[in-house]
């Protein structure tokens, strides 16, 4: 049996603070066309793909913050992405800042080749800080601007496989992957904005690319799933963002890798049935997991174990 699909990661180079959404969307449509010409049926865009990474600035007044958010999807600005999906017959994954009544989320959607939204995910693991911290060379105010996602980790049947999503910092947490693995995810789409410089532990700067791939490759292998990771990359408003967009097989191997820090499309042929090689053997969950011993993982007091060490 085989269930093949050709897929693409569409890495975005920097988006300037004053670059209008329409310009970012035009760059993305051009990448959809490239991906489609190379046979891709799905293209994955980064986290917060429509604008510059605005949580790097402290903004005290709410209207300034809300200007970065989307109140509707599609909107006049984002409609060309949906039109391109229909014209090219290609699905896409898009990250954006979502405002829903009084609530604000860091969101991603999966859109089918007919332009219909198939699934939505709201980021659960929000990194950074709440308060103005001007000592930093750039800030990371996701905790201030977004609420924790309230949709869990949805996995849906689409494009011949089972597809889940997560966003950036989520990829560093094994729970993210396991929750999708337990739902038989065969492909996880994710976008990220990861600075090269980590102000809290600058000694880790040299490890940013390693930790990026380590997290995604481990998530893929330990759950027997493909991963498509798409970066926003390059020097954006004084902040250097890593690239390294990659398509990863359920064996944990990188099968396609971006080599620039600009707009770049990488494509790979995948086969959802390959996931079975891992799921029926080394990580056969039904046979080998021992969930009765994993209680501390979901015990809110579980953190106490670590504090005591
Ligand atoms: N956008 C992110 O979630 N970025 C974080 C950084 C701040 C550590 C990441 O995990 O890549």
């Amino acid at each position: 049996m085989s269930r093949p699909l050709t897929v693409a990661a569409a890495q975005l180079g920097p988006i300037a603070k004053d670059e209008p959404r329409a310009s970012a969307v035009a760059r993305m449509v051009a990448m959809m066309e490239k991906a489609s010409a190379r046979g891709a049926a799905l293209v994955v865009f980064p986290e917060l793909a429509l604008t510059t990474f605005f949580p790097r600035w402290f903004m005290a007044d709410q209207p300034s913050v809300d200007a970065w958010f989307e109140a509707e999807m599609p909107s006049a600005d984002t409609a060309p992405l949906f039109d391109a999906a229909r014209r090219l017959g290609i699905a896409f994954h898009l990250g954006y800042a979502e405002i829903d009544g009084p609530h604000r989320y860091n969101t991603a959607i999966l859109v089918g080749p007919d332009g219909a939204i198939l699934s939505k995910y709201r980021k659960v693991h929000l990194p950074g800080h709440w308060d103005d911290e001007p000592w930093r060379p750039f800030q990371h105010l996701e905790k201030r601007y977004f609420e924790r996602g309230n949709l869990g980790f949805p996995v849906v049947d689409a494009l011949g496989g089972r597809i889940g999503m997560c966003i950036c910092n989520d990829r560093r947490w094994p729970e993210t992957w396991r929750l999708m693995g337990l739902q038989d995810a065969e492909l996880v789409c994710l976008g990220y904005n990861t600075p090269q410089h980590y102000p809290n532990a600058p000694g880790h700067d040299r490890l940013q690319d390693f930790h990026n791939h380590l997290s995604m490759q481990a998530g893929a292998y330990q759950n027997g799933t493909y991963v498509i990771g798409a970066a926003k990359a390059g020097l954006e408003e004084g902040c250097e963002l890593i690239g390294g967009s990659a398509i990863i097989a359920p064996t944990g191997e990188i099968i396609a890798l971006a080599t620039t820090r600009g707009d770049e499309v990488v494509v790979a042929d995948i086969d959802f049935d390959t996931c079975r090689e891992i799921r029926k053997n080394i990580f056969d969950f039904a046979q080998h997991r021992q969930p009765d011993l994993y209680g501390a993982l979901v015990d809110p007091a579980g953190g106490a174990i670590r504090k005591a060490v």
Side-chain angles (χ1 to χ4, degrees), residues 47 53 106 123 125 127-128 140 142 167-172 192-195 198 208:
E47 173 190 34
F53 190 78
N106 187 340
K123 187 173 182 178
H125 300 99
H140 198 105
E142 282 195 64
I167 301 177
C168 197
N169 193 260
D170 286 323
R171 75 196 186 289
R172 302 182 193 270
Y192 56 95
N193 283 261
T194 298
Y198 186 50
Q208 292 299 345

Side-chain angles (χ1 to χ4, degrees), residues 221-294:
Y221 172 58
Q222 292 172 344
N223 295 282
T225 179
Y226 284 95
V227 176
I228 306 175
K232 170 100 79 58
L235 186 61
E236 186 179 271
E237 299 293 348
C239 176
E240 182 69 24
L241 297 168
I242 67 165
S245 299
I247 302 173
I248 299 161
T251 52
E253 294 164 286
I254 293 177
I255 54 174
L257 178 64
T259 55
T260 71
R261 287 193 174 184
D263 288 8
E264 181 178 348
V265 177
V266 295
V267 175
D269 295 325
I270 69 170
D271 181 346
F272 289 119
D273 272 353
T274 303
C275 299
R276 297 167 62 87
E277 290 173 18
I278 300 292
R279 287 155 186 252
K280 293 289 164 204
N281 292 299
I282 185 88
F283 292 123
D284 181 338
F285 287 174
Q287 271 209 64
H288 304 306
R289 285 183 78 247
Q290 304 295 334
D292 57 311
L293 297 180
Y294 302 160

Side-chain angles (χ1 to χ4, degrees), residues 19-297:
E19 182 167 345
R21 286 166 175 72
S23 163
V25 166
R27 287 165 57 184
M28 287 191 267
V29 169
M31 287 201 280
M32 287 171 85
E33 287 166 353
K34 256 190 197 164
S36 173
R38 292 168 64 185
L42 167 67
V43 56
V44 174
F45 292 114
E47 173 190 34
L48 299 175
L50 299 171
T51 66
T52 200
F53 190 78
F54 65 88
R56 72 168 65 94
W57 292 286
F58 178 79
M59 292 167 273
D61 65 306
Q62 203 55 47
S64 303
V65 177
D66 288 349
W68 298 101
F69 283 73
E70 312 303 313
E72 48 176 4
M73 188 60 66
S75 61
D77 280 330
T78 53
L81 294 168
F82 292 74
D83 294 342
R86 282 186 285 267
R87 172 167 55 85
L88 301 166
I90 193 170
F92 69 92
H93 160 109
L94 174 75
Y96 64 99
E98 176 196 12
I99 187 160
D100 179 17
H103 306 288
R104 294 167 188 81
Y105 302 101
N106 187 340
T107 294
I109 48 172
L110 179 67
V111 178
D114 59 354
I117 295 177
L118 303 175
S119 183
K120 179 186 278 192
Y121 169 70
R122 291 169 171 160
K123 187 173 182 178
V124 167
H125 300 99
L126 297 168
H129 49 105
W130 284 269
D131 297 321
D132 191 14
E133 296 191 9
W135 63 268
R136 294 170 183 259
F138 48 85
Q139 306 210 32
H140 198 105
L141 289 145
E142 282 195 64
K143 288 218 188 286
R144 182 181 188 90
Y145 298 142
F146 301 115
E147 274 175 55
R148 187 181 75 170
N150 61 352
L151 300 176
F153 293 90
V155 174
V156 294
D157 288 313
L159 308 173
R162 288 193 48 81
I163 302 183
M165 296 183 275
C166 66
I167 301 177
C168 197
N169 193 260
D170 286 323
R171 75 196 186 289
R172 302 182 193 270
W173 299 90
E175 294 87 350
T176 299
W177 299 100
R178 185 59 102 223
L179 281 167
M180 287 188 277
L182 288 170
Q183 298 173 74
D184 286 332
E186 295 172 313
L187 170 62
V188 174
C189 303
L190 74 100
Y192 56 95
N193 283 261
T194 298
Q196 187 76 57
H197 176 52
Y198 186 50
N200 301 65
H204 291 188
D205 291 2
R206 67 184 179 85
L207 299 171
Q208 292 299 345
D209 294 278
F210 168 60
H211 288 159
N212 175 39
H213 288 151
L214 177 70
S215 303
M216 296 196 292
Q217 290 178 262
Y221 172 58
Q222 292 172 344
N223 295 282
T225 179
Y226 284 95
V227 176
I228 306 175
K232 170 100 79 58
L235 186 61
E236 186 179 271
E237 299 293 348
C239 176
E240 182 69 24
L241 297 168
I242 67 165
S245 299
I247 302 173
I248 299 161
T251 52
E253 294 164 286
I254 293 177
I255 54 174
L257 178 64
T259 55
T260 71
R261 287 193 174 184
D263 288 8
E264 181 178 348
V265 177
V266 295
V267 175
D269 295 325
I270 69 170
D271 181 346
F272 289 119
D273 272 353
T274 303
C275 299
R276 297 167 62 87
E277 290 173 18
I278 300 292
R279 287 155 186 252
K280 293 289 164 204
N281 292 299
I282 185 88
F283 292 123
D284 181 338
F285 287 174
Q287 271 209 64
H288 304 306
R289 285 183 78 247
Q290 304 295 334
D292 57 311
L293 297 180
Y294 302 160
L297 291 176

